[in-house]
Coordinates of all heavy atoms in Angstrom, one line a residue:
I195 N -59.5 56.8 8.2 CA -60.8 57.6 8.5 C -60.9 58.7 7.4 O -62.0 58.9 6.8 CB -60.7 58.2 9.9 CG1 -60.9 57.2 10.9 CG2 -61.8 59.3 10.0 CD1 -60.7 57.6 12.3
G196 N -59.8 59.4 7.0 CA -59.9 60.4 6.0 C -60.3 59.7 4.7 O -61.0 60.3 3.9
R198 N -62.1 57.1 4.2 CA -63.5 56.7 4.2 C -64.4 58.0 4.2 O -65.4 58.1 3.5 CB -63.9 55.9 5.5 CG -65.3 55.5 5.6 CD -65.5 54.7 6.9 NE -65.0 53.4 6.7 CZ -65.7 52.3 6.2 NH1 -66.9 52.5 5.8 NH2 -65.1 51.1 6.1
L199 N -64.0 59.0 4.9 CA -64.8 60.2 5.0 C -64.9 61.0 3.6 O -65.9 61.4 3.2 CB -64.2 61.2 6.0 CG -64.9 62.4 6.4 CD1 -66.3 62.2 7.0 CD2 -64.1 63.3 7.3
F200 N -63.7 61.1 2.9 CA -63.7 61.8 1.7 C -63.6 61.0 0.4 O -63.6 61.5 -0.7 CB -62.4 62.8 1.7 CG -62.4 63.7 2.9 CD1 -61.5 63.7 3.8 CD2 -63.4 64.7 3.0 CE1 -61.4 64.5 4.9 CE2 -63.4 65.6 4.0 CZ -62.4 65.5 5.0
I205 N -56.3 62.2 0.0 CA -56.7 63.1 1.1 C -56.5 62.5 2.4 O -56.1 63.2 3.4 CB -58.2 63.6 0.9 CG1 -58.3 64.4 -0.4 CG2 -58.6 64.4 2.1 CD1 -59.7 64.9 -0.7
F240 N -64.8 58.3 16.7 CA -65.3 58.9 15.5 C -65.2 58.0 14.3 O -66.1 57.9 13.5 CB -64.4 60.2 15.3 CG -64.8 61.0 14.1 CD1 -65.8 61.9 14.1 CD2 -64.1 60.8 12.8 CE1 -66.2 62.6 13.0 CE2 -64.5 61.6 11.7 CZ -65.5 62.5 11.8
L244 N -68.3 56.5 11.9 CA -68.3 56.7 10.5 C -68.6 55.3 9.8 O -69.4 55.3 8.8 CB -66.9 57.2 10.1 CG -66.8 57.9 8.7 CD1 -67.7 59.1 8.6 CD2 -65.4 58.3 8.4
R247 N -72.2 54.6 10.2 CA -73.1 55.4 9.3 C -73.1 54.7 8.0 O -74.2 54.6 7.4 CB -72.4 56.8 9.1 CG -73.2 57.6 8.1 CD -72.4 58.9 7.8 NE -73.1 59.7 6.9 CZ -73.0 59.6 5.5 NH1 -72.3 58.6 5.0 NH2 -73.7 60.4 4.7
F299 N -70.9 63.5 19.9 CA -70.9 62.3 19.0 C -72.3 61.6 19.0 O -72.8 61.1 18.0 CB -69.9 61.3 19.3 CG -68.5 61.7 18.9 CD1 -68.2 62.9 18.2 CD2 -67.4 60.9 19.2 CE1 -67.0 63.2 17.9 CE2 -66.1 61.2 18.8 CZ -65.9 62.4 18.1
L302 N -74.4 63.6 16.7 CA -74.0 63.4 15.4 C -74.6 62.1 14.8 O -75.1 62.1 13.6 CB -72.5 63.4 15.3 CG -71.8 63.2 13.9 CD1 -72.1 64.3 13.0 CD2 -70.3 63.0 14.1
L305 N -78.3 62.4 14.0 CA -78.6 63.2 12.9 C -78.2 62.5 11.6 O -78.9 62.7 10.6 CB -77.8 64.5 13.0 CG -78.2 65.5 14.1 CD1 -77.3 66.8 14.1 CD2 -79.7 65.9 13.8
W306 N -77.2 61.7 11.6 CA -76.9 60.9 10.5 C -78.0 59.9 10.2 O -78.3 59.6 9.0 CB -75.6 60.1 10.7 CG -74.3 60.9 10.4 CD1 -74.3 62.2 9.8 CD2 -73.0 60.6 10.8 NE1 -73.0 62.6 9.8 CE2 -72.2 61.7 10.3 CE3 -72.4 59.5 11.4 CZ2 -70.8 61.6 10.5 CZ3 -71.0 59.5 11.6 CH2 -70.2 60.6 11.1
F472 N -58.0 78.8 8.7 CA -58.6 79.1 7.5 C -59.5 77.9 7.0 O -60.6 78.1 6.5 CB -57.6 79.4 6.4 CG -56.9 80.7 6.6 CD1 -55.6 80.8 7.1 CD2 -57.5 81.9 6.2 CE1 -55.0 82.0 7.3 CE2 -56.9 83.1 6.4 CZ -55.6 83.2 6.9
A473 N -59.0 76.7 7.3 CA -59.7 75.5 6.9 C -61.0 75.4 7.7 O -62.1 75.0 7.1 CB -58.8 74.3 7.1
L474 N -61.0 75.8 8.9 CA -62.3 75.7 9.7 C -63.3 76.7 9.1 O -64.5 76.4 9.1 CB -62.0 76.0 11.2 CG -61.2 74.9 11.9 CD1 -60.9 75.3 13.4 CD2 -61.9 73.5 11.9
V475 N -62.9 77.8 8.7 CA -63.8 78.8 8.1 C -64.4 78.2 6.8 O -65.6 78.3 6.5 CB -63.1 80.1 7.9 CG1 -64.0 81.1 7.1 CG2 -62.7 80.8 9.2
Y476 N -63.5 77.6 6.0 CA -63.9 76.9 4.8 C -64.9 75.8 5.1 O -66.0 75.7 4.4 CB -62.7 76.4 4.0 CG -63.1 75.5 2.9 CD1 -63.6 76.0 1.7 CD2 -62.9 74.1 2.9 CE1 -64.0 75.2 0.7 CE2 -63.3 73.3 1.9 CZ -63.8 73.8 0.7 OH -64.2 73.0 -0.3
L477 N -64.7 75.0 6.1 CA -65.6 74.0 6.5 C -67.0 74.5 6.9 O -68.0 74.0 6.6 CB -65.1 73.1 7.5 CG -64.4 71.8 7.0 CD1 -63.2 72.1 6.1 CD2 -64.0 70.9 8.2
L478 N -67.0 75.6 7.6 CA -68.2 76.3 8.0 C -69.0 76.7 6.8 O -70.2 76.5 6.7 CB -67.9 77.5 8.9 CG -67.6 77.2 10.4 CD1 -67.1 78.5 11.1 CD2 -68.9 76.7 11.1
W479 N -68.3 77.3 5.8 CA -69.0 77.7 4.6 C -69.5 76.5 3.9 O -70.7 76.5 3.4 CB -68.0 78.4 3.7 CG -68.6 78.8 2.4 CD1 -69.4 79.9 2.1 CD2 -68.4 78.1 1.2 NE1 -69.7 79.9 0.8 CE2 -69.2 78.8 0.2 CE3 -67.7 76.9 0.8 CZ2 -69.2 78.3 -1.2 CZ3 -67.8 76.5 -0.5 CH2 -68.5 77.2 -1.5
R480 N -68.8 75.4 3.8 CA -69.2 74.2 3.1 C -70.4 73.6 3.8 O -71.4 73.1 3.1 CB -68.1 73.1 3.1 CG -66.9 73.5 2.1 CD -67.2 73.1 0.7 NE -67.7 71.8 0.5 CZ -68.0 71.3 -0.7 NH1 -67.9 72.1 -1.8 NH2 -68.5 70.1 -0.8
W481 N -70.4 73.6 5.1 CA -71.5 72.9 5.8 C -72.8 73.8 5.8 O -73.8 73.2 5.6 CB -71.1 72.7 7.3 CG -72.2 72.3 8.2 CD1 -72.8 71.1 8.1 CD2 -72.8 73.0 9.3 NE1 -73.8 71.0 9.1 CE2 -73.8 72.2 9.8 CE3 -72.5 74.2 9.8 CZ2 -74.5 72.6 10.9 CZ3 -73.3 74.7 10.9 CH2 -74.3 73.8 11.4
F482 N -72.6 75.1 5.9 CA -73.8 76.0 6.0 C -74.4 76.2 4.6 O -75.7 76.1 4.5 CB -73.4 77.3 6.6 CG -74.6 78.1 6.9 CD1 -75.4 77.9 8.1 CD2 -75.0 79.2 6.1 CE1 -76.5 78.7 8.4 CE2 -76.1 80.0 6.4 CZ -76.9 79.7 7.5
F483 N -73.6 76.4 3.6 CA -74.1 76.8 2.3 C -74.2 75.6 1.3 O -75.1 75.6 0.4 CB -73.3 77.9 1.7 CG -73.4 79.2 2.3 CD1 -72.4 79.7 3.2 CD2 -74.5 80.0 2.2 CE1 -72.5 80.9 3.8 CE2 -74.6 81.2 2.8 CZ -73.6 81.7 3.6
R484 N -73.4 74.6 1.5 CA -73.4 73.4 0.6 C -74.0 72.2 1.3 O -74.1 71.1 0.6 CB -72.0 73.2 0.1 CG -71.4 74.3 -0.8 CD -72.2 74.5 -2.0 NE -71.6 75.5 -2.9 CZ -70.6 75.3 -3.8 NH1 -70.1 74.1 -3.9 NH2 -70.2 76.3 -4.5
R485 N -74.3 72.3 2.5 CA -74.9 71.1 3.3 C -73.9 69.9 3.1 O -74.4 68.8 3.0 CB -76.3 70.8 2.8 CG -77.3 71.9 3.1 CD -77.5 72.1 4.6 NE -78.6 73.0 4.9 CZ -78.4 74.3 5.1 NH1 -77.2 74.8 5.0 NH2 -79.4 75.1 5.4
D486 N -72.6 70.1 3.3 CA -71.7 69.1 3.2 C -71.6 68.4 4.5 O -71.1 68.9 5.5 CB -70.3 69.7 2.8 CG -69.2 68.7 2.6 OD1 -69.5 67.5 2.8 OD2 -68.1 69.0 2.2
W487 N -72.0 67.1 4.5 CA -72.1 66.4 5.8 C -70.7 66.1 6.3 O -70.5 66.0 7.5 CB -72.8 65.1 5.6 CG -72.1 64.0 4.8 CD1 -72.2 63.9 3.4 CD2 -71.2 63.0 5.3 NE1 -71.4 62.8 3.0 CE2 -70.8 62.3 4.1 CE3 -70.8 62.7 6.5 CZ2 -69.9 61.2 4.3 CZ3 -69.9 61.6 6.7 CH2 -69.5 60.9 5.5
R488 N -69.7 66.0 5.4 CA -68.3 65.7 5.9 C -67.8 66.8 6.6 O -67.2 66.7 7.7 CB -67.5 65.4 4.7 CG -68.0 64.2 3.8 CD -67.2 64.2 2.5 NE -67.4 65.4 1.7 CZ -66.8 65.7 0.6 NH1 -66.0 64.8 0.1 NH2 -67.0 66.9 0.0
S489 N -68.0 68.1 6.2 CA -67.6 69.2 6.9 C -68.3 69.3 8.2 O -67.7 69.6 9.3 CB -67.9 70.5 6.1 OG -67.2 70.5 4.9
G490 N -69.6 69.0 8.2 CA -70.4 69.0 9.5 C -69.9 68.0 10.5 O -69.8 68.3 11.7
A491 N -69.4 66.9 10.0 CA -68.9 65.8 11.0 C -67.6 66.3 11.6 O -67.4 66.2 12.9 CB -68.6 64.5 10.2
V492 N -66.7 66.9 10.8 CA -65.5 67.4 11.4 C -65.8 68.6 12.4 O -65.2 68.6 13.5 CB -64.5 67.9 10.3 CG1 -63.2 68.5 10.9 CG2 -64.1 66.7 9.4
L493 N -66.6 69.5 12.0 CA -67.0 70.6 12.8 C -67.7 70.2 14.1 O -67.4 70.8 15.2 CB -67.9 71.6 12.1 CG -67.2 72.3 10.9 CD1 -68.3 73.1 10.2 CD2 -66.2 73.3 11.5
C494 N -68.5 69.1 14.1 CA -69.1 68.6 15.3 C -68.0 68.1 16.3 O -68.1 68.4 17.5 CB -70.0 67.4 15.0 SG -70.9 66.7 16.4
A495 N -67.0 67.4 15.8 CA -65.9 66.9 16.7 C -65.2 68.1 17.2 O -64.8 68.2 18.4 CB -65.0 66.0 15.9
V496 N -64.9 69.1 16.4 CA -64.2 70.3 16.9 C -65.0 71.0 18.0 O -64.4 71.4 19.0 CB -63.9 71.3 15.7 CG1 -63.4 72.6 16.2 CG2 -62.9 70.7 14.7
A497 N -66.3 71.1 17.8 CA -67.1 71.8 18.8 C -67.1 71.0 20.1 O -67.0 71.6 21.2 CB -68.5 72.0 18.2
G498 N -67.3 69.7 20.0 CA -67.3 68.9 21.2 C -66.0 68.9 22.0 O -66.0 68.8 23.2
F522 N -58.6 66.3 13.9 CA -59.7 66.9 13.2 C -59.3 68.2 12.5 O -59.8 68.6 11.4 CB -60.9 67.2 14.1 CG -61.3 65.9 14.8 CD1 -60.9 65.5 16.1 CD2 -62.2 65.0 14.1 CE1 -61.3 64.4 16.6 CE2 -62.6 63.8 14.7 CZ -62.1 63.5 15.9
L523 N -58.3 68.9 13.0 CA -57.7 70.0 12.3 C -57.0 69.5 11.1 O -57.1 70.2 10.0 CB -56.6 70.7 13.2 CG -57.2 71.4 14.5 CD1 -56.1 72.1 15.2 CD2 -58.3 72.4 14.2
L525 N -57.8 66.9 9.3 CA -58.9 66.5 8.4 C -59.4 67.8 7.7 O -59.6 67.8 6.5 CB -60.0 65.8 9.1 CG -59.7 64.3 9.5 CD1 -60.9 63.8 10.3 CD2 -59.5 63.4 8.3
A526 N -59.5 68.8 8.5 CA -60.0 70.1 7.9 C -59.1 70.6 6.9 O -59.5 71.1 5.8 CB -60.3 71.1 9.0
V527 N -57.8 70.7 7.2 CA -56.8 71.2 6.2 C -56.7 70.3 5.0 O -56.6 70.8 3.9 CB -55.4 71.3 6.9 CG1 -54.3 71.7 5.9 CG2 -55.4 72.3 8.0
A528 N -56.8 69.0 5.2 CA -56.8 68.1 4.0 C -57.9 68.3 3.1 O -57.8 68.2 1.9 CB -56.7 66.6 4.5
Q529 N -59.1 68.5 3.7 CA -60.3 68.7 2.9 C -60.1 70.0 2.1 O -60.5 70.1 0.9 CB -61.6 68.8 3.8 CG -62.8 69.0 2.9 CD -64.1 69.1 3.8 OE1 -64.0 68.9 5.0 NE2 -65.3 69.3 3.1
M530 N -59.6 71.1 2.8 CA -59.4 72.3 2.1 C -58.4 72.1 0.9 O -58.5 72.7 -0.2 CB -58.9 73.4 3.0 CG -58.6 74.8 2.4 SD -58.1 76.0 3.6 CE -56.4 75.4 4.0
L531 N -57.3 71.4 1.2 CA -56.3 71.1 0.1 C -56.9 70.3 -1.0 O -56.5 70.5 -2.2 CB -55.1 70.4 0.7 CG -54.3 71.2 1.7 CD1 -53.1 70.4 2.3 CD2 -53.7 72.5 1.1
G532 N -57.8 69.4 -0.7 CA -58.5 68.7 -1.8 C -59.3 69.6 -2.7 O -59.3 69.4 -3.9
A533 N -59.9 70.7 -2.0 CA -60.6 71.7 -2.8 C -59.7 72.5 -3.7 O -60.0 72.8 -4.8 CB -61.5 72.6 -2.0

Side-chain angles (χ1 to χ4, degrees):
I195 288 171
R198 179 177 289 270
L199 185 64
F200 301 114
I205 295 180
F240 182 81
L244 199 59
R247 176 190 181 276
F299 284 0
L302 180 65
L305 289 179
W306 280 349
F472 291 99
L474 292 177
V475 174
Y476 169 71
L477 264 63
L478 280 169
W479 177 82
R480 289 280 308 180
W481 172 66
F482 189 79
F483 291 103
R484 298 293 182 89
R485 296 295 187 264
D486 184 357
W487 71 271
R488 303 166 303 175
S489 301
V492 175
L493 290 172
C494 179
V496 171
F522 302 98
L523 296 182
L525 286 173
V527 175
Q529 183 179 359
M530 182 179 69
L531 293 178

